[in-house]
Amino acid sequence: MSADDAARPPAWAVEDVHLADPDPAWPGWADAFAAEARALLGASLTEPVLHIGSTAVPGLLAKPIVDLQARAEDPDSAIAAAQAAMAAASWFVVPRELDLRAWRRFVVRADPTGRHRLAHLHLMKPDEPRWDQQLAFRDRLRASPALADEYARLEVAAAARHPHEREAYTAEKSAFVRRVLTSG
């Protein structure tokens, strides 16, 4: 491996935004990835690992990446204790200086080739308000097909405008998310 290869981010970190039709396998994937996360983080987790995000909304198109959230009293310590085992199982911790979201530690489950994300784990402290917000957003989309359809249209438009910029794609959806959270 050359110095250039070592400095280059992993392929999963820079993959394009890709949306997929709803897949009835997503809940099973979520269960499997949640079991992996529980096995790796063990007693550090204070609550069950929950399936969130678009793949947790039946019938909604999504990036085919399962989002999970979990709580730990000290997410940094939990990750430090498990990081080697996590990496061996293709779970990679995104450094704080790259994630820039103080409310979580972000972990990506990559496929065996290292080219694609399969799952995200949002690891939070027990008192983090974002926990309830992410569940509320998921639940409101589950409860309202019209809201889910509106979100799907927004996702398609954002992916078309930002196919190579995951952060811009996510940012474009933030006003909608805020509106949903404040309207319910």
Side-chain angles (χ1 to χ4, degrees):
M1 177 187 297
S2 72
D4 286 342
D5 290 339
R8 204 172 295 139
W12 58 259
V14 293
E15 73 179 306
D16 287 347
V17 175
H18 165 73
L19 298 175
D21 289 331
D23 189 333
W26 287 338
W29 294 0
D31 290 343
F33 293 133
E36 284 183 16
R38 277 191 305 276
L40 291 164
L41 293 165
S44 296
L45 299 181
T46 60
E47 307 219 10
V49 178
L50 301 179
H51 186 194
I52 59 167
S54 296
T55 61
V57 180
L60 183 61
L61 68 82
K63 293 186 313 295
I65 302 166
V66 172
D67 279 291
L68 304 168
Q69 69 181 26
R71 285 180 166 158
E73 286 295 332
D74 184 349
D76 290 321
S77 294
I79 284 179
Q83 195 159 357
M86 292 175 85
S90 296
W91 286 90
F92 301 100
V93 178
V94 176
R96 280 205 181 277
E97 63 272 12
L98 296 178
D99 182 37
L100 302 177
R101 289 167 180 91
W103 53 270
R104 71 176 181 194
R105 289 308 315 264
F106 190 52
V107 187
V108 172
R109 171 62 158 82
D111 73 351
T113 70
R115 281 193 223 120
H116 304 288
R117 300 170 189 224
L118 299 177
H120 295 153
L121 176 64
H122 307 257
L123 187 60
M124 297 175 233
K125 291 182 177 182
D127 60 349
E128 175 53 55
R130 188 66 181 239
W131 178 272
D132 292 329
Q133 293 168 354
Q134 292 193 158
L135 292 175
F137 184 74
R138 177 202 66 189
D139 293 347
R140 289 189 182 125
L141 292 184
R142 284 178 172 176
S144 173
L147 203 56
D149 287 345
E150 184 180 354
Y151 187 62
R153 288 190 303 275
L154 176 60
E155 284 196 296
V156 169
R161 279 191 287 278
H162 308 288
H164 312 297
E165 303 169 46
R166 297 179 77 81
E167 289 296 325
Y169 163 83
T170 299
E172 189 164 324
K173 300 183 303 177
S174 63
F176 178 87
V177 173
R178 279 192 306 275
R179 179 173 58 89
V180 169
L181 291 174
T182 59
S183 68

